[in-house]
Amino acid sequence: MNNRQINDIQSFLELIRFTNPVGWLLLVIPALWMLIIIGEGTPNLIVSIIFCIGAFTMRSAGCVINDIWDRNIDLHIERTKHRPLANKQATVGFAVAIFLCFLMASMIIAFSLPVQIWYIVPFALLGTMLYPLVKRVSNYPQLVLGVTFSLVVPCASLATQRYIDSSCIMLSIITILWVILYDTQYAIADLKEDCKVNVKSLAVLLRSVIVPAIVILDLLFILGWLLYGYFVLLLPGVYLVLLIITIVIFFFYQLLLVSTQYPVLAIKAFKSHVLLGISIAIILMLAMGK
């Protein structure tokens, strides 16, 4: 294998964030929540695997298109300046080819699912492609990402029970809140540099009150799960209390990290949401399996 081939493989893996699975896990976890709820504690294994693969391909496509749009911005951000397109290790044509391959893979997976899901897929694709551009003109890219990621919830519902109900809608709203929360924490890592290069985000908009803003998002997420667990899922009291306590513990930990506004700690807070999401999934499995 020559140096060019090695370079292409390294660029490919970096473009799709192969060694950093946080993004695709955060994308698929809400779908798994929905599948656990529908399956009353036991999610459909085949559908769960399909959604895990679909989340990986869709997130990979999203990472590549993000790097294509942001290649000139990434060059001026310490955390991203070594990405393949920013440092010219890979060409735009190479990245576009990878994007199209993963986009096609995502479409094939979507078309293997019930036809109702096909009507949602275009909106997911649109959100994936527009998200990197929104931060150039608006301070609300986190909202766009939240709505885009939340679409996995109705897709999971349609894949199993062929309809969308009030439970699905409420879980979608909770997912939007969750994505806004963790992506705002993620944006704190680049806050100072984003201000210099005029990249917009909720973190930039709320930078003078970022900690209170995070607290408010935390409280809304907790309230969402409290209402959802009590009124919709009818969780047994002990499991509802366990669920809320678990979320509160994670949020206190994350708040300690983001309140310092150190980039490394903000990223650590962001990554901890994977464990939070998995913890919620386990509690749901235990509670609904009763």
Side-chain angles (χ1 to χ4, degrees), residues 85-287:
L85 290 176
N87 65 12
K88 310 298 184 183
Q89 182 180 341
T91 65
V92 174
F94 179 75
V96 169
I98 295 173
F99 168 72
L100 292 176
C101 287
F102 277 98
L103 186 64
M104 185 177 298
S106 300
M107 296 293 291
I108 291 172
I109 292 170
F111 288 138
S112 71
L113 295 169
V115 67
Q116 295 95 326
I117 293 176
W118 300 359
Y119 298 103
I120 298 178
V121 170
F123 295 99
L125 295 177
L126 183 64
T128 300
M129 297 187 69
L130 288 182
Y131 170 68
L133 300 179
V134 173
K135 57 190 174 185
R136 289 166 166 76
V137 298
S138 169
N139 284 305
Y140 302 100
Q142 283 70 35
L143 177 58
V144 174
L145 188 68
V147 172
T148 302
F149 272 32
S150 73
L151 293 177
V152 299
V153 176
C155 284
S157 181
L158 291 170
T160 48
Q161 58 186 11
R162 303 297 194 275
Y163 61 84
I164 296 173
D165 55 14
S166 58
S167 174
C168 174
I169 293 171
M170 189 163 184
L171 186 58
S172 297
I173 294 171
I174 290 172
T175 299
I176 291 173
L177 286 171
W178 190 41
V179 177
I180 292 173
L181 171 61
Y182 66 63
D183 200 51
T184 300
Q185 292 177 346
Y186 185 77
I188 292 174
D190 301 327
L191 182 56
K192 294 180 180 178
E193 291 163 307
D194 281 349
C195 291
K196 292 179 181 178
V197 297
N198 198 31
V199 170
K200 303 178 187 299
S201 70
L202 274 179
V204 172
L205 177 66
L206 303 171
R207 58 188 178 277
S208 60
V209 289
I210 191 64
V211 174
I214 293 293
V215 171
I216 291 172
L217 289 169
D218 287 346
L219 293 175
L220 288 173
F221 185 75
I222 293 170
L223 179 62
W225 270 110
L226 181 61
L227 296 175
Y228 187 52
Y230 186 80
F231 290 107
V232 180
L233 301 183
L234 305 177
L235 296 181
V238 64
Y239 288 106
L240 182 59
V241 171
L242 177 61
L243 175 65
I244 299 305
I245 289 176
T246 299
I247 297 173
V248 169
I249 290 173
F250 270 94
F251 284 170
F252 270 114
Y253 167 72
Q254 292 164 2
L255 194 60
L256 287 173
L257 295 177
V258 301
S259 61
T260 65
Q261 296 192 32
Y262 286 118
V264 174
L265 296 183
I267 293 294
K268 192 173 182 179
F270 162 73
K271 289 182 176 180
S272 72
H273 280 274
V274 172
L275 187 55
L276 170 58
I278 293 173
S279 299
I280 292 173
I282 292 172
I283 293 171
L284 289 174
M285 291 179 71
L286 293 173

